[in-house]
Amino acid sequence: MGKLFDVILLLVIVLSIALVMLESIDSLNQRYYWQFYIAEWVITFFFTIEYILRIIAINKPKKYIFSFYGIVDFLSTIPTYVSIIAGGHNMLFAIRALRLLRVFRILKITRYIGESNRLLLALRNSRAKILIFLYTVIIICIIMGTLMYLVEGEAGGFDNIPLGIYWAIVTLTTVGFGDIHPITPLGRFIASIIMVTGYGIIAVPTGIVSAEYTKYFKQPTIPTNTQVCPHCNETKHLDKAEFCHNCGSKLNE
Amino acid sequence: MGKLFDVILLLVIVLSIALVMLESIDSLNQRYYWQFYIAEWVITFFFTIEYILRIIAINKPKKYIFSFYGIVDFLSTIPTYVSIIAGGHNMLFAIRALRLLRVFRILKITRYIGESNRLLLALRNSRAKILIFLYTVIIICIIMGTLMYLVEGEAGGFDNIPLGIYWAIVTLTTVGFGDIHPITPLGRFIASIIMVTGYGIIAVPTGIVSAEYTKYFKQPTIPTNTQVCPHCNETKHLDKAEFCHNCGSKLNE
Amino acid sequence: MGKLFDVILLLVIVLSIALVMLESIDSLNQRYYWQFYIAEWVITFFFTIEYILRIIAINKPKKYIFSFYGIVDFLSTIPTYVSIIAGGHNMLFAIRALRLLRVFRILKITRYIGESNRLLLALRNSRAKILIFLYTVIIICIIMGTLMYLVEGEAGGFDNIPLGIYWAIVTLTTVGFGDIHPITPLGRFIASIIMVTGYGIIAVPTGIVSAEYTKYFKQPTIPTNTQVCPHCNETKHLDKAEFCHNCGSKLNE
Amino acid sequence: MGKLFDVILLLVIVLSIALVMLESIDSLNQRYYWQFYIAEWVITFFFTIEYILRIIAINKPKKYIFSFYGIVDFLSTIPTYVSIIAGGHNMLFAIRALRLLRVFRILKITRYIGESNRLLLALRNSRAKILIFLYTVIIICIIMGTLMYLVEGEAGGFDNIPLGIYWAIVTLTTVGFGDIHPITPLGRFIASIIMVTGYGIIAVPTGIVSAEYTKYFKQPTIPTNTQVCPHCNETKHLDKAEFCHNCGSKLNE
């Protein structure tokens, strides 16, 4: 029963997100305005009932209401109701923004995937190293972006330093939109250095995560503990050891 | 004999694909229309004969006909014949579409490469993790694409949410076409975050596959221990050793 | 006390960099000219006092003054003073350039992160290999850039060889601005080869750093051997074990 | 002496390449035509003398002349001489092409770097797997490029199938020039799939090279050989073993 409800809920969430997406396309919104309007209300009703049922069913409703998913559930229900009260067309955009919070709903699906936890764990372990790496990347981008602003100036589209830094990030991460690009020989030379740097240092986070992962795959090593032998003070006995491997006396007597 | 036929078949497949490519170039198609037409029919004839011979030669023709390669063989033979019946120029494009199925033919070459199976195996083992990774990537793109639609709006080319999501995918995967790109400071700031994220998380699939592969490469090392020979004090004997490899005296007496 | 001062100093550095960035935006600079001017002088004063205090406090002031950070501290203090002496608007740009040296100040933050040293160590160990890799990349770019200049010529925007090499770097590193791009079939074919090469050889630096990192992560496993206890037939004793960890009887009698 | 000559030769090679690059820049070529002309002849003279000296000094001149570097040396000397005989301005471009072969000269520097051999070895070992990977990448590009030609058509710039394949390569390798890009919703959806695929499968070559490299870094395993004990037929003795570890009899008597 609970599982069936979960699957239906999931489908409604996906549908509600698809609806928000389709509504944002002007041509579709003009043609199917009423269909969207009705679907909007049906989904809002479903979410409202689900929200109320959850509060009733749970022992500690307060804990749920103020939890992350509780707030997401509430915020993904309310926009349609607000649209009646606020009514006017002027506030349409702001209401739409609230509506879009429902997108976060899809995060709920993550709950159904157990393996993702292990992935997160690996990322969490290498978090400190990745943060230092990102910090280095940002420092490089600030210095290089400032340099490009001085070298290229407004002619090449580098109107100010933040724009130069934005361009440096676009370049270092090998995205390369091409809306801003150097035109002077010196600017192009510096750009080349940034590109080769970006191409080379991508190896660092990859290396970190690879090493982190390889560790997980390693065959289990024989576990030892810190028990101390009462006779000879020998440490590092095997977990299953009952006698000291050094003097042969009984452990844990 | 069978091997020679295979090589010829392979060459004809490659030729037929090259033909479809060259036909699609307008200037070449106008100049060499008849040459292409004749080549088309010669190849079709070859494929037809091959298809019929296969059905005759094989014990269970039904199994072949409805297998993946059987259907590909049939579909890559038929378009030229259909073009006579359908005839008119109006349906030319649809016929061309059928013709192009022949492209899948090249997949047959894969059959000749044995090593690709091992590569597929490694990918299959890390499939679950890569799928979770791609799911996370898509969620990030949906949220970021929606955000950019709200922040940039139609001025920056983010006409609707699906377009915003498309842009987020283009950016996160570090492709960066540049047809759509942010122009407001806030949009550029969010874009920077997406780019650095994309640059950082590419480490995850790489790490997974690396670890998977490293596992395969591990050669079993011959285990030795630190036993000391009572005669000559030689160390590092093989685990299974009962006699010293240096002086030949009995170990563990 | 010293820690509090460090945190304040850090904040002032970040503020001063933010100030330089905001000043570079024309619209902001015109509106808030005086606010920026005052903030500029306040920060310069703070840096001046810090610089003088450091020289007084340190035992060997000469060593500090000529150290890397000593020079950075001096150069990040001086530009505002120079702007009074130089005065005129003609030299404004050069002064600005000096001012921007303060950006390097942010490098000081690195001092507070201990872990970055380990990261640098890993990079330094694979430095030789990464340099050879970069040398190979540059050679490929020189050859391919020259080839593209000959094939595409000025029509495709490949005006001269350095520009061709610049384009080859943009392409091989998968940045792809799109300001210069091949238009002839042969040029596009060569471009395809460069792109696939760039896509393939990024594996090399990643592989090097990964392997370097994996080495660091290896925890020393406690070595065991396959000795069998003469009493209880227990196996997998520690290498240094002299008594059975299970029954306590002497091993190797 | 020989080392000094090598360093001078290296400098002249780098100079000659720089000269070719600068000559290709129109504005510089017009201003410094005579300086370039003289430098050209000086370098050609140096190369000619080096070539003749090498033939005289080496024992087997024939082997050198027809070796790879022998041919490169010859071809990098001849263009300037050819330019006198061919003379006219019409053949200027073809002569330039010959001149550019000198770029390959820089490859000689590689000879001075010993470590690059180990890098090549690692790449050579994973060659087969990388080739299969590249083959798969090209197949995906052919299929996807054809699909995009059918979906987008000439409106989106996908004028013919080879162009579609070129675009697919540009996209899958995450280069993304942006000269050709999809404009229909379906085209953008397919493009998204290609981009995510490209972003995901880059992990494969990286994983292969990483694993290959990790193998090299492994601590030396204790080497055994295939000696057979004359008494008990036991194999896999340690390399340094003089007595059988199984029965204690002398090996290699």
Side-chain angles (χ1 to χ4, degrees):
Chain A
M1 255 307 277
K3 215 163 191 180
L4 184 74
F5 180 77
D6 270 6
V7 171
I8 291 167
L9 182 63
L10 216 71
L11 280 171
V12 177
I13 291 169
V14 171
L15 265 172
S16 76
I17 291 163
L19 196 68
V20 175
M21 283 185 198
L22 294 174
E23 263 179 89
S24 78
I25 304 169
D26 268 0
S27 59
L28 287 179
N29 199 25
Q30 277 163 19
R31 220 192 303 172
Y32 303 106
Y33 183 80
W34 287 106
Q35 284 91 325
F36 285 158
Y37 189 82
I38 292 159
E40 190 66 42
W41 274 105
V42 169
I43 286 165
T44 303
F45 249 62
F46 184 90
F47 281 165
T48 312
I49 290 162
E50 192 232 337
Y51 185 66
I52 292 165
L53 283 179
R54 254 181 218 280
I55 291 173
I56 293 166
I58 286 166
N59 276 329
K60 298 172 187 170
K62 265 195 185 170
K63 206 179 164 188
Y64 164 68
I65 290 167
F66 295 103
S67 72
F68 176 71
Y69 281 117
I71 292 163
V72 166
D73 284 353
F74 179 74
L75 288 175
S76 60
T77 314
I78 214 165
T80 322
Y81 295 112
V82 172
S83 74
I84 310 172
I85 303 160
H89 287 271
N90 290 352
M91 285 189 65
L92 208 81
F93 196 75
I95 290 157
R96 229 186 205 158
L98 280 174
R99 228 182 250 165
L100 286 161
L101 282 162
R102 221 182 292 158
V103 172
F104 287 97
R105 271 280 187 145
I106 216 168
L107 288 172
K108 274 193 175 172
I109 302 173
T110 320
R111 276 195 263 177
Y112 301 95
I113 307 162
E115 275 227 36
S116 66
N117 293 325
R118 229 189 301 169
L119 238 138
L120 274 174
L121 195 79
L123 271 180
R124 208 169 289 168
N125 281 349
S126 42
R127 193 180 42 181
K129 278 157 219 137
I130 285 174
L131 279 177
I132 294 166
F133 171 73
L134 289 182
Y135 169 77
T136 315
V137 164
I138 287 159
I139 294 289
I140 293 172
C141 287
I142 288 173
I143 293 170
M144 287 305 197
T146 308
L147 207 62
M148 286 301 280
Y149 165 72
L150 288 171
V151 167
E152 283 283 324
E154 296 183 20
F158 296 80
D159 294 345
N160 48 57
I161 294 177
L163 210 56
I165 293 166
Y166 167 70
W167 174 85
I169 292 170
V170 168
T171 305
L172 194 90
T173 57
T174 76
V175 173
F177 284 130
D179 52 341
I180 308 164
H181 54 81
I183 49 167
T184 65
L186 184 58
R188 277 171 170 158
F189 182 73
I190 297 169
S192 298
I193 292 169
I194 297 173
M195 283 181 271
V196 172
T197 306
Y199 189 65
I201 61 172
I202 195 157
V204 176
T206 309
I208 294 165
V209 176
S210 280
E212 211 40 67
Y213 245 89
T214 309
K215 218 168 58 175
Y216 281 95
F217 274 109
K218 286 256 169 72
Q219 288 154 346
T221 58
I222 290 107
T224 58
N225 57 43
T226 55
Q227 274 187 72
V228 181
C229 169
H231 256 159
C232 64
N233 291 324
E234 177 77 5
T235 52
K236 292 211 178 175
H237 298 280
L238 293 176
D239 265 3
K240 59 180 177 181
E242 288 183 30
F243 291 89
C244 174
H245 60 255
N246 191 44
C247 66
S249 61
K250 189 96 176 73
L251 295 170
N252 289 334
E253 283 182 312
Chain B
M1 251 311 273
K3 214 162 191 181
L4 185 75
F5 180 79
D6 269 7
V7 171
I8 291 167
L9 182 62
L10 216 71
L11 280 171
V12 177
I13 291 170
V14 171
L15 265 172
S16 76
I17 291 163
L19 196 68
V20 175
M21 282 186 200
L22 293 173
E23 262 179 89
S24 79
I25 304 169
D26 268 0
S27 59
L28 288 178
N29 199 26
Q30 277 163 19
R31 221 191 304 172
Y32 303 107
Y33 183 80
W34 287 107
Q35 285 89 324
F36 284 158
Y37 189 83
I38 292 158
E40 189 66 43
W41 274 105
V42 170
I43 286 167
T44 303
F45 249 65
F46 185 89
F47 281 166
T48 312
I49 291 161
E50 192 233 336
Y51 185 65
I52 292 164
L53 283 179
R54 254 181 218 280
I55 290 173
I56 293 165
I58 286 167
N59 277 330
K60 297 173 187 170
K62 263 193 185 170
K63 206 179 163 187
Y64 164 69
I65 290 167
F66 296 104
S67 72
F68 176 71
Y69 280 116
I71 292 163
V72 166
D73 284 352
F74 179 73
L75 288 174
S76 61
T77 315
I78 214 164
T80 322
Y81 296 112
V82 173
S83 74
I84 311 172
I85 303 159
H89 287 273
N90 290 352
M91 283 190 66
L92 208 81
F93 195 75
I95 290 157
R96 230 187 204 157
L98 279 174
R99 226 183 250 164
L100 287 160
L101 282 162
R102 221 182 292 157
V103 172
F104 287 97
R105 270 280 186 146
I106 217 168
L107 288 172
K108 273 191 174 172
I109 302 173
T110 319
R111 277 196 262 178
Y112 301 95
I113 307 162
E115 276 226 36
S116 66
N117 293 325
R118 227 187 304 167
L119 238 138
L120 274 174
L121 196 79
L123 271 181
R124 207 169 291 166
N125 281 349
S126 42
R127 192 180 43 182
K129 277 158 220 137
I130 285 173
L131 278 177
I132 293 166
F133 172 73
L134 289 182
Y135 168 76
T136 314
V137 164
I138 287 159
I139 294 290
I140 293 171
C141 287
I142 288 173
I143 292 170
M144 287 305 197
T146 309
L147 207 62
M148 286 301 278
Y149 164 72
L150 289 172
V151 166
E152 283 283 323
E154 297 184 20
F158 297 81
D159 294 346
N160 48 57
I161 294 176
L163 210 56
I165 293 166
Y166 167 70
W167 174 85
I169 292 170
V170 168
T171 305
L172 194 90
T173 57
T174 76
V175 173
F177 284 130
D179 52 341
I180 308 163
H181 53 80
I183 48 168
T184 64
L186 184 58
R188 278 174 168 156
F189 182 72
I190 296 168
S192 297
I193 292 169
I194 298 173
M195 284 179 271
V196 171
T197 307
Y199 187 66
I201 62 172
I202 195 157
V204 176
T206 309
I208 294 165
V209 177
S210 280
E212 219 26 80
Y213 245 89
T214 309
K215 219 167 58 175
Y216 282 96
F217 273 108
K218 287 232 172 90
Q219 293 168 324
T221 58
I222 290 109
T224 59
N225 58 45
T226 55
Q227 275 188 70
V228 181
C229 169
H231 255 161
C232 65
N233 291 326
E234 177 76 4
T235 53
K236 292 212 179 176
H237 298 280
L238 293 177
D239 265 1
K240 60 179 176 181
E242 287 182 33
F243 292 90
C244 175
H245 60 254
N246 191 43
C247 66
S249 61
K250 188 96 176 73
L251 295 170
N252 290 336
E253 284 182 309
Chain C
M1 252 307 275
K3 215 162 191 180
L4 185 74
F5 179 78
D6 270 7
V7 171
I8 292 167
L9 181 64
L10 216 72
L11 280 171
V12 177
I13 292 169
V14 171
L15 265 171
S16 76
I17 291 162
L19 196 67
V20 175
M21 282 186 198
L22 294 174
E23 263 179 88
S24 78
I25 303 169
D26 267 0
S27 59
L28 288 178
N29 199 26
Q30 277 164 17
R31 220 191 304 173
Y32 303 107
Y33 182 80
W34 287 107
Q35 284 91 326
F36 284 158
Y37 189 82
I38 292 159
E40 190 66 42
W41 274 105
V42 170
I43 286 165
T44 304
F45 249 63
F46 184 89
F47 282 166
T48 313
I49 291 162
E50 191 232 339
Y51 185 67
I52 292 165
L53 283 178
R54 254 181 219 279
I55 291 173
I56 294 166
I58 286 165
N59 277 330
K60 298 172 187 172
K62 264 194 185 170
K63 206 178 162 187
Y64 164 70
I65 290 167
F66 296 103
S67 71
F68 177 70
Y69 281 116
I71 292 162
V72 166
D73 284 352
F74 179 73
L75 287 173
S76 61
T77 313
I78 215 165
T80 322
Y81 296 112
V82 173
S83 74
I84 310 173
I85 303 161
H89 287 273
N90 290 351
M91 285 191 64
L92 208 81
F93 196 75
I95 290 158
R96 230 186 205 157
L98 280 174
R99 225 182 252 164
L100 287 160
L101 282 162
R102 220 181 294 158
V103 172
F104 287 98
R105 271 280 188 144
I106 216 168
L107 288 172
K108 274 192 175 172
I109 302 174
T110 319
R111 276 196 262 178
Y112 301 94
I113 307 162
E115 276 226 37
S116 66
N117 292 324
R118 229 190 300 170
L119 238 138
L120 275 173
L121 196 79
L123 271 179
R124 208 169 288 166
N125 281 349
S126 42
R127 194 180 42 181
K129 278 157 219 137
I130 284 173
L131 279 177
I132 295 165
F133 172 73
L134 289 182
Y135 168 77
T136 315
V137 163
I138 287 158
I139 294 290
I140 292 172
C141 287
I142 289 172
I143 293 169
M144 287 306 197
T146 309
L147 207 64
M148 286 301 280
Y149 165 72
L150 289 171
V151 166
E152 283 283 324
E154 297 183 19
F158 296 80
D159 294 344
N160 49 57
I161 294 176
L163 211 56
I165 294 166
Y166 167 70
W167 174 85
I169 292 171
V170 168
T171 305
L172 194 89
T173 56
T174 76
V175 173
F177 283 129
D179 52 341
I180 308 164
H181 53 81
I183 49 167
T184 65
L186 184 58
R188 278 174 168 156
F189 182 72
I190 296 168
S192 297
I193 292 168
I194 298 173
M195 284 181 270
V196 171
T197 307
Y199 188 67
I201 62 172
I202 196 156
V204 175
T206 308
I208 294 165
V209 177
S210 280
E212 211 41 68
Y213 245 88
T214 308
K215 220 167 57 174
Y216 281 95
F217 273 109
K218 287 234 171 92
Q219 292 168 326
T221 58
I222 290 105
T224 58
N225 58 44
T226 55
Q227 276 188 70
V228 180
C229 171
H231 255 160
C232 65
N233 292 324
E234 177 75 4
T235 53
K236 294 215 178 170
H237 297 279
L238 294 176
D239 266 1
K240 59 178 177 180
E242 288 182 32
F243 292 89
C244 173
H245 60 254
N246 192 42
C247 66
S249 61
K250 189 94 177 73
L251 295 170
N252 290 334
E253 285 183 308
Chain D
M1 253 309 273
K3 214 162 190 180
L4 185 75
F5 180 78
D6 270 7
V7 171
I8 291 167
L9 181 63
L10 216 73
L11 279 170
V12 177
I13 291 169
V14 171
L15 266 171
S16 76
I17 291 162
L19 197 68
V20 175
M21 282 185 198
L22 293 173
E23 262 180 88
S24 78
I25 303 169
D26 269 0
S27 59
L28 287 178
N29 200 25
Q30 276 163 19
R31 220 190 305 172
Y32 302 108
Y33 183 80
W34 287 106
Q35 285 90 324
F36 284 158
Y37 189 82
I38 291 160
E40 190 67 42
W41 274 104
V42 170
I43 286 166
T44 304
F45 250 64
F46 185 90
F47 281 165
T48 312
I49 290 163
E50 192 232 337
Y51 186 66
I52 292 164
L53 283 178
R54 253 180 219 280
I55 291 172
I56 294 166
I58 285 166
N59 276 330
K60 298 172 186 169
K62 264 194 185 171
K63 205 178 163 188
Y64 164 69
I65 289 167
F66 295 103
S67 72
F68 176 71
Y69 281 116
I71 292 163
V72 166
D73 283 352
F74 180 73
L75 287 174
S76 60
T77 314
I78 214 164
T80 322
Y81 296 112
V82 173
S83 74
I84 310 172
I85 303 160
H89 287 273
N90 291 352
M91 284 191 65
L92 208 80
F93 196 75
I95 290 157
R96 231 187 204 156
L98 280 174
R99 225 183 253 164
L100 287 161
L101 282 162
R102 220 182 293 159
V103 172
F104 288 98
R105 270 280 186 146
I106 216 168
L107 289 173
K108 274 192 175 173
I109 302 173
T110 320
R111 276 195 263 177
Y112 301 95
I113 306 162
E115 276 227 37
S116 66
N117 293 325
R118 228 188 303 168
L119 238 139
L120 274 174
L121 195 80
L123 271 181
R124 207 169 291 166
N125 281 349
S126 43
R127 194 179 42 182
K129 276 157 220 138
I130 285 173
L131 279 178
I132 294 165
F133 172 73
L134 289 182
Y135 168 77
T136 315
V137 164
I138 287 159
I139 294 289
I140 293 172
C141 287
I142 289 173
I143 292 170
M144 286 307 196
T146 309
L147 206 64
M148 285 301 279
Y149 164 73
L150 289 171
V151 166
E152 283 282 323
E154 296 184 20
F158 297 81
D159 293 347
N160 49 57
I161 294 175
L163 210 57
I165 294 166
Y166 168 70
W167 174 85
I169 293 170
V170 168
T171 305
L172 194 88
T173 57
T174 76
V175 173
F177 283 130
D179 52 340
I180 308 163
H181 53 80
I183 48 168
T184 65
L186 184 58
R188 279 175 167 155
F189 182 72
I190 296 168
S192 297
I193 292 168
I194 298 173
M195 285 180 270
V196 171
T197 306
Y199 187 67
I201 62 172
I202 197 158
V204 176
T206 308
I208 294 165
V209 177
S210 280
E212 213 36 73
Y213 244 89
T214 309
K215 218 167 60 174
Y216 281 96
F217 274 108
K218 286 256 169 71
Q219 287 155 348
T221 59
I222 290 104
T224 58
N225 58 42
T226 56
Q227 275 187 73
V228 181
C229 171
H231 255 161
C232 65
N233 292 324
E234 177 77 3
T235 54
K236 293 213 178 172
H237 298 279
L238 295 175
D239 264 3
K240 59 179 178 181
E242 288 182 31
F243 292 89
C244 174
H245 60 253
N246 191 44
C247 65
S249 62
K250 189 97 176 74
L251 296 170
N252 290 332
E253 284 184 310

